[in-house]
């Protein structure tokens, strides 16, 4: 009986601590994702300005340079663009993506789709630059949140876990 | 045609498909006007009015979602599609320092469907070949627009490049300076029209630049280019001929009188570089009207 009780208490403690760690990791992943997206947009900006490659090719190329869910976002968009308008493909892929980002981050990224592939080089560069500037703000905010909350949620998970165990005991 | 259909609204495609698509030469689309298709001598006005927004969507499809990548071609007034077809563009033209930099608001698109006709140059080639030397006489093929000049020189290029075993003519290196991308239809490094196994292609650049590049880098026996008559063409054609390269060009005109009215063509003819001037019949596509030896 004591063995089962101890096991259950450990499970409760482990679950609550894991929740804390997950919330804490969310801050880290969001900042990382935003930085990766910014890296992708920098590549996009350079290619539009200098190589005259077409958008579907550029997006697929970026997906080979960036790993994880951000790379997948670029890959899916590049593939989808071959059948749909670039802006629509980008917006749909952001909506469908399981990438860890805030609502505001996603809305800012979607604004890239408004003119994507529709204008001359200067128009494209201006739009990318606008989104990049917004991303800078979001990255700054995400890094501050990460520094503020990452350790806190980890510790909070452990403390709440312990508190619940004590109450149950 | 497949690529063109991918660019157009589905409803419009269905309407076009009700006609004989093999004969379609042009699809003319104008904002807020009905679409017109041209089947050789017959014109059909479709009951489909295209909106300005649809024209922009068509344009985005043509450019594979990358209008910026086609800015140079748009500034030239046309885009070459995979498969060798061309789209002419008109609208609000943006000019900076006397150079067209963009077409900002597009009013109309003209899809011109190119036809590669094997044997199109059969009648004409005997005036051009110098079989004794396995070479050619420098030639100028002349006709008004739409009489088949480009189709003929495309076929001619293939024959010179592949060789003609029937008359013991061995294939020679040919360089096509394809300013408007109509002869070879080069797209992403692939020639969609068959211009022969010994043909090099310089695409989408002025003849004055392309001919010099071709002579210096590709060592061609013959250079082929469409529609000469610009100021810069005189010097560069003289340069090519003096370098010992054979020349085959086309020009717009009805008669010798017409040709001589153009200062540039007149200068080229006075240089005695061109040995044959071949006039095409304006009524029957690809038929020779007369040949003048110079």
């Amino acid at each position: 009986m004591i063995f089962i009780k101890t096991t259950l208490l450990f499970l409760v403690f482990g679950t609550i601590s894991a929740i804390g760690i997950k919330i804490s990791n969310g801050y880290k992943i969001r900042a990382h994702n935003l930085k990766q997206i910014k890296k992708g947009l920098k590549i996009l900006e350079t290619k539009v300005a200098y190589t005259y490659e077409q958008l579907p090719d550029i997006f697929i190329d970026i997906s080979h340079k960036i790993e994880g869910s951000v790379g997948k976002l670029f890959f899916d968009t590049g593939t989808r663009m071959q059948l749909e308008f670039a802006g629509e493909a980008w917006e749909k892929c952001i909506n469908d993506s399981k990438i860890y980002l805030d609502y505001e981050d996603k809305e800012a990224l979607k604004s890239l789709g408004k003119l994507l592939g529709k204008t001359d080089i200067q128009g494209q560069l201006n739009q990318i630059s606008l989104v990049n500037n917004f991303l800078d703000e979001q990255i700054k905010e995400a890094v501050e949140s990460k520094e503020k909350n990452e350790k806190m949620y980890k510790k909070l998970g452990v403390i709440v876990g312990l508190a619940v165990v004590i109450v149950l005991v | 045609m497949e690529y063109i259909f991918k660019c157009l609204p589905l409803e419009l495609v269905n309407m076009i498909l009700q006609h004989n698509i093999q004969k379609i030469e042009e699809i003319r689309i104008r904002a807020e006007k009905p679409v017109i298709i041209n089947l050789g001598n017959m014109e059909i006005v479709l009951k489909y009015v295209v909106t300005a927004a649809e024209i922009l969507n068509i344009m985005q499809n043509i450019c594979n979602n990358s209008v910026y990548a086609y800015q140079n071609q748009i500034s030239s007034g046309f885009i070459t599609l995979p498969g060798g077809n061309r789209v002419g563009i008109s609208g609000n033209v943006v000019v900076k320092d006397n150079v067209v930099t963009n077409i900002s608001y597009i009013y109309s698109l003209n899809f011109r469907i190119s036809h590669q006709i094997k044997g199109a140059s059969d009648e004409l080639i005997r005036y051009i070949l110098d079989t004794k030397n396995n070479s050619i006489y420098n030639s100028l093929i002349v006709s008004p627009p739409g009489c088949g000049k480009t189709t003929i020189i495309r076929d001619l290029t293939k024959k010179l490049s592949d060789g003609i075993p029937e008359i013991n003519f061995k294939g020679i290196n040919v360089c096509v300076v394809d300013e408007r991308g109509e002869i070879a239809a080069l797209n992403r490094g692939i020639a969609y029209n068959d211009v022969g196994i010994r043909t090099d292609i310089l695409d989408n650049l002025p003849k004055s630049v392309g001919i010099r590049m071709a002579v210096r880098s590709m060592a061609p026996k013959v250079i082929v280019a469409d529609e000469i008559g610009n100021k810069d063409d005189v010097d560069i054609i003289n340069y090519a001929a003096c370098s010992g390269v054979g020349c085959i060009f086309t020009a717009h005109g009805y008669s010798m009188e017409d040709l001589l009215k153009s200062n540039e063509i007149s200068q080229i003819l006075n240089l005695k570089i061109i040995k044959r001037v071949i006039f095409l019949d304006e009524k029957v596509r690809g038929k020779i009207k007369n040949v003048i030896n110079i």
Side-chain angles (χ1 to χ4, degrees):
Chain A
M1 192 65 190
I2 291 171
F3 175 73
I4 295 170
K5 200 178 173 186
T6 314
T7 312
L8 281 173
L9 286 174
F10 266 110
L11 270 176
V12 168
F13 174 72
T15 309
I16 294 171
S17 301
I19 291 169
I21 290 166
K22 202 184 171 201
I23 295 172
S24 139
N25 277 348
Y27 288 97
K28 200 164 103 184
I29 293 167
R30 180 187 162 218
H32 176 74
N33 283 345
L34 285 171
K35 282 177 189 168
Q36 291 291 87
I37 290 170
K38 174 139 191 203
K39 186 178 155 191
L41 292 185
K42 274 280 162 204
I43 299 173
L44 174 67
E45 194 175 24
T46 310
K47 287 201 173 250
V48 166
Y50 300 109
T51 68
Y52 288 84
E53 281 174 64
Q54 297 182 2
L55 276 185
D57 296 342
I58 297 177
F59 272 69
I60 302 274
D61 192 41
I62 292 171
S63 77
H64 295 146
K65 293 185 170 87
I66 294 173
E67 289 174 352
S69 54
V70 176
K72 191 175 179 307
L73 171 70
F74 279 97
F75 182 81
D76 290 346
T77 309
T79 312
R80 209 161 186 162
M81 265 182 207
Q82 286 158 13
L83 302 167
E84 293 176 35
F85 292 121
E88 286 172 15
W90 175 245
E91 283 189 25
K92 281 181 191 169
C93 285
I94 288 175
N95 284 336
D96 296 349
S97 168
K98 286 175 182 157
I99 192 166
Y100 195 95
L101 289 173
D102 276 2
Y103 174 78
E104 270 187 25
D105 302 335
K106 287 192 175 183
E107 287 306 302
L109 286 174
K110 279 186 203 170
S111 67
L112 179 72
K114 280 179 195 161
L115 296 175
L116 199 59
K118 287 183 185 172
T119 64
D120 60 5
I121 292 176
Q122 203 48 52
Q124 294 296 292
L125 294 179
N126 289 347
Q127 187 68 18
I128 297 167
S129 165
L130 200 70
V131 176
N132 262 336
N133 289 343
F134 194 84
L135 271 186
D136 283 338
E137 293 294 314
Q138 294 299 99
I139 290 170
K140 197 177 155 195
E141 189 263 320
V143 170
E144 281 171 5
S145 292
K146 183 191 136 200
E147 281 167 5
K148 194 169 129 194
N149 300 317
E150 192 185 4
K151 281 182 189 168
M152 185 187 83
Y153 276 101
K154 259 185 201 166
K155 283 177 188 167
L156 204 65
V158 175
I159 291 165
V160 173
L162 276 176
V164 171
V165 168
I166 290 163
V167 170
L168 289 175
V169 167
Chain B
M1 287 296 276
E2 202 183 315
Y3 191 87
I4 293 177
F5 287 158
K6 260 176 68 181
C7 301
L8 301 176
L10 195 61
E11 201 186 333
L12 175 59
V13 173
N14 287 334
M15 282 188 180
I16 295 171
L17 285 173
Q18 288 170 13
H19 302 278
N20 184 357
I21 59 164
Q22 302 300 328
K23 285 192 173 177
I24 293 178
E25 290 185 355
E26 281 182 345
I27 302 169
R28 288 184 173 269
I29 295 170
R30 298 178 176 94
E32 311 300 339
K33 300 278 188 294
V35 173
I36 297 174
I37 56 173
N38 201 329
L39 297 96
N41 297 327
M42 195 167 60
E43 189 186 80
I44 297 167
V45 182
L46 300 177
K47 284 179 185 163
Y48 189 96
V49 176
V50 176
T51 62
E54 273 179 315
I55 289 202
L56 285 182
N57 288 344
I58 294 170
M59 195 63 195
Q60 208 180 332
N61 284 334
I62 291 169
C63 299
N64 193 17
N65 273 316
S66 315
V67 172
Y68 63 89
Y70 287 82
Q71 211 170 323
N72 285 347
Q73 289 197 49
I74 292 169
S75 303
S76 317
F78 68 89
I79 292 173
T80 305
L81 303 177
N85 301 313
R86 250 178 38 158
V87 189
I89 306 158
S90 83
N92 286 104
V93 178
V94 182
V95 180
K96 264 185 200 165
D97 302 324
N98 279 334
V99 177
V100 176
T101 55
N102 202 0
I103 298 179
S104 55
Y105 293 94
I106 293 165
Y107 168 69
S108 68
L109 299 169
N110 176 18
F111 288 83
R112 292 183 66 184
I113 289 91
S114 77
H115 296 278
Q116 182 155 25
I117 302 170
K118 282 183 182 164
S121 65
D122 283 355
E123 194 191 345
L124 179 134
I125 200 159
R126 62 195 166 105
Y127 298 106
I128 289 175
L129 286 186
D130 174 5
T131 40
K132 264 187 199 168
N133 301 312
N134 201 68
S135 183
I136 59 142
Y137 297 110
N138 294 340
S139 305
L140 183 65
I141 302 163
V142 185
S143 83
C147 292
K149 288 186 297 294
T150 309
T151 310
I152 285 178
I153 59 164
R154 190 182 296 132
D155 188 59
L156 189 61
T157 305
K158 178 177 159 50
K159 285 205 172 86
L160 296 176
S161 173
D162 290 345
I164 313 167
E166 295 85 359
I167 55 167
N168 208 19
F169 182 84
K170 288 176 190 148
I172 51 179
N173 288 329
V174 181
C175 189
V176 174
V177 180
D178 205 358
E179 188 167 357
R180 299 186 305 164
E182 271 194 306
I183 304 172
L186 197 71
N187 191 292
R188 295 187 176 203
I190 294 167
Y192 281 84
N193 288 330
D194 183 4
V195 284
I197 60 168
R198 294 179 187 86
T199 302
D200 302 303
I201 304 154
L202 289 165
D203 175 78
N204 197 22
L205 80 174
K207 283 182 278 290
S208 53
V209 180
I211 292 176
R212 194 174 294 278
M213 274 176 75
V215 171
R216 284 179 178 170
S217 59
M218 303 314 292
K221 273 270 212 178
V222 173
I223 286 179
V224 175
D226 213 1
E227 292 178 15
I228 59 163
N230 289 335
K231 228 178 187 178
D232 301 335
D233 293 347
V234 183
D235 286 343
I236 199 66
I237 289 170
N238 192 23
Y239 166 77
C242 291
S243 309
V245 179
C247 303
I248 298 174
F249 302 121
T250 72
H252 287 309
Y254 280 95
S255 61
M256 198 58 162
E257 207 178 20
D258 270 353
L259 277 185
L260 294 173
K261 279 180 194 162
S262 153
N263 277 341
E264 287 74 27
I265 303 266
S266 173
Q267 279 181 55
I268 292 166
L269 293 176
N270 284 336
L271 288 169
K272 306 279 182 200
I273 293 166
I274 303 291
K275 300 295 175 197
R276 304 269 192 273
V277 182
I278 302 164
F279 291 91
L280 301 181
D281 196 307
E282 56 270 22
K283 285 170 194 154
V284 184
R285 276 175 76 97
K287 195 184 166 200
I288 295 172
K289 190 162 75 176
N290 65 323
V291 179
I292 296 173
N293 294 330
I294 296 175

